[in-house]
Amino acid sequence: MDKKAKEFLENELKENGTLGNALIDEISKDTKQLVAFAAAIEKVDFRIQGKIMHKASTIMLLALMGAFAGAHTWCQIATYGKAKMELLRQYFPNLKDVPSHDTLRRFFMIVDSTKLEMVYREWARNFQGEFMSHDESSEEEEQGTYKAHRHYSLDGKTIRNAIDPEKLSEESDGRISIEEARHAKLHMVSAYDTEAGISMAQERVNVKENELAAIPKLLNYLDLGKGDIVTIDAMGTHANLAELITSKGADYLFEVKDNQPKLKEHIEMCTEFFLKNKYQTAFYDKAEETLYDHSMTTKRECYVYKYEGMMRKIKEKWPGMNTFGVIITTRTKKDGTSVTEKHYYITSLPTDPKLIMKHKREHWKIENALHWHLDVIFNEDKGRKMMNSAQNYSVLTKMALAILKKDKSKMPMTDKRLLAGWNDNFMKSLIDQFISSF
């Protein structure tokens, strides 16, 4: 990035907060992306501009660098920034000092979570678009007939120890009692693109509500269309959600558990009857797979039922439903002991057991590739960030995680973060990738 262009950019942003289109056309592409990043981040900052030392873009980029490098606390992020002042100056040439840990903490506390979420969603769309453009077949694009088949997995996660009961009750103006606040949790529902490896959006579940209030908001936001698939755990198995998904032309695959007792009883009765009597040819199709790892063998059998007589009543109540079935998973340890689980489902997908088993397996990427990394790699549940600060920082770590996963280096995530802290060139490649999606 050209130093003079960056100095010009910094001066313009310092004086005016924005750049005119004519001026933007005069500077280089990477500087334009930095301008776009700064402009997007400034939208979430309602501090009085004449009374601040550090722009929102500086604070956000430093926090992101800390997340890349393995820093978990505000003090660690500020310390990393002091050690990497010269690297920060490659993006902000006029930077005199790095934000302190108190500045970082206060900023993430007061940032409007709704506005930051909007910035995140726009960034994630651009990131997803870049991923799809690199992975789609050029022949289909030339023909102009290609429609991306995206798989969105929806699931919730609680950020533990992130609620201050007294503050929550006080800020609610009497709507939430102190007793209710003591039982409240900071729970987020995410919509995860299993192919691109990124959460496209997240909704906070309000006190006195559950995930069912957040899921329709996410579905209405997602650009669902023909060929897209939405998978949700049993909490989201409701007819109104099936109708919402199919009305957009997309398909669904829902888990069926005890929260839909009559539906589960019917499916369970049908599957047990057909399995016992082995009417495969006439009434169901089957696919199976066996996976091996160092400690366990996992066998999955997917049964898809196609006998219309057994499905007629269910189809009347569930919009778009095409079939139901069961996935039987058996995990066997080296010592010979095994555990078998049965997962019942309904779906609007075709009666293809391989396809259904594939999407059911990939549904859990949201748990294994997103939630697990946030907890174990980014230390989310053990952090001391509270309320708004915890929610806002979680958005930032999801950005960092998506960028780190996109990097093709063949090393564990923990090693990538160590390398980012040690190697400025690697850190810069991650930052540039982040900025390029604005």
Side-chain angles (χ1 to χ4, degrees), residues 13-25:
L13 287 175
K14 185 176 180 180
E15 293 175 9
N16 306 315
T18 59
L19 290 174
N21 290 333
L23 293 176
I24 290 177
D25 289 337

Side-chain angles (χ1 to χ4, degrees), residues 127-192:
F127 183 92
Q128 182 194 47
E130 291 173 8
F131 179 89
M132 299 299 287
S133 65
H134 289 139
D135 283 33
E136 305 310 346
S137 114
S138 58
E139 181 180 348
E140 289 172 318
E141 286 179 350
E142 288 173 7
Q143 294 174 351
T145 59
Y146 182 80
K147 174 66 176 71
H149 289 250
R150 297 162 298 185
H151 177 182
Y152 293 111
S153 172
L154 273 64
D155 195 29
K157 178 188 180 300
T158 297
I159 303 177
R160 301 186 186 281
N161 306 314
I163 291 292
D164 182 337
E166 292 185 1
K167 187 173 182 180
L168 178 62
S169 180
E170 181 183 340
E171 291 180 349
S172 72
D173 294 326
R175 288 179 286 109
I176 301 172
S177 69
I178 188 66
E179 188 61 30
E180 289 172 327
R182 288 195 181 103
H183 293 90
K185 296 178 180 179
L186 180 49
H187 192 75
M188 308 292 295
V189 181
S190 298
Y192 186 75

Side-chain angles (χ1 to χ4, degrees), residues 98-124:
V98 298
S100 68
H101 69 280
D102 280 333
T103 298
L104 289 162
R105 178 180 57 81
R106 285 193 297 266
F107 179 80
F108 278 87
M109 283 176 59
I110 65 173
V111 162
D112 187 321
S113 296
T114 302
K115 289 184 178 180
L116 183 59
E117 174 65 18
M118 292 302 103
V119 171
Y120 174 88
R121 291 183 181 187
E122 184 64 29
W123 178 88

Side-chain angles (χ1 to χ4, degrees), residues 264-386:
K264 182 186 176 184
E265 182 182 0
H266 183 83
I267 296 175
E268 192 172 16
M269 178 190 69
C270 293
T271 55
E272 291 302 319
F273 174 78
F274 288 132
L275 288 174
K276 182 179 179 180
N277 292 280
K278 300 182 179 179
Y279 292 138
Q280 178 170 353
T281 303
F283 300 110
Y284 68 83
D285 288 328
K286 174 187 176 183
E288 62 180 64
E289 66 179 13
T290 303
L291 305 175
Y292 304 91
D293 64 24
H294 64 281
S295 62
M296 187 178 298
T297 300
T298 302
K299 180 181 180 181
R300 293 187 180 91
E301 301 168 280
C302 180
Y303 296 88
V304 179
Y305 291 83
K306 54 187 181 182
Y307 179 51
E308 283 293 327
M310 290 292 188
M311 293 190 287
R312 193 172 295 118
K313 288 185 177 180
I314 302 179
K315 284 187 173 183
E316 291 175 359
K317 298 180 180 179
W318 291 87
M321 195 203 101
N322 189 48
T323 188
F324 65 79
V326 61
I327 297 176
I328 302 174
T329 302
T330 303
R331 295 181 175 86
T332 305
K333 296 182 179 179
K334 283 188 174 182
D335 62 7
T337 59
S338 63
V339 176
T340 298
E341 298 175 344
K342 293 182 179 180
H343 297 271
Y344 301 102
Y345 65 85
I346 60 171
T347 182
S348 62
L349 289 168
T351 55
D352 181 345
K354 288 185 178 179
L355 177 70
I356 291 170
M357 186 160 55
K358 171 182 178 289
H359 287 299
K360 183 61 178 174
R361 183 178 65 252
E362 290 187 345
H363 168 77
W364 293 112
K365 283 185 177 180
I366 190 172
E367 189 66 41
N368 301 325
L370 178 65
H371 296 163
W372 184 88
H373 280 88
L374 292 175
D375 282 345
V376 177
I377 305 300
F378 288 91
N379 215 34
E380 187 168 87
D381 277 357
K382 295 180 181 178
R384 297 176 62 184
K385 301 173 185 69
M386 304 288 286

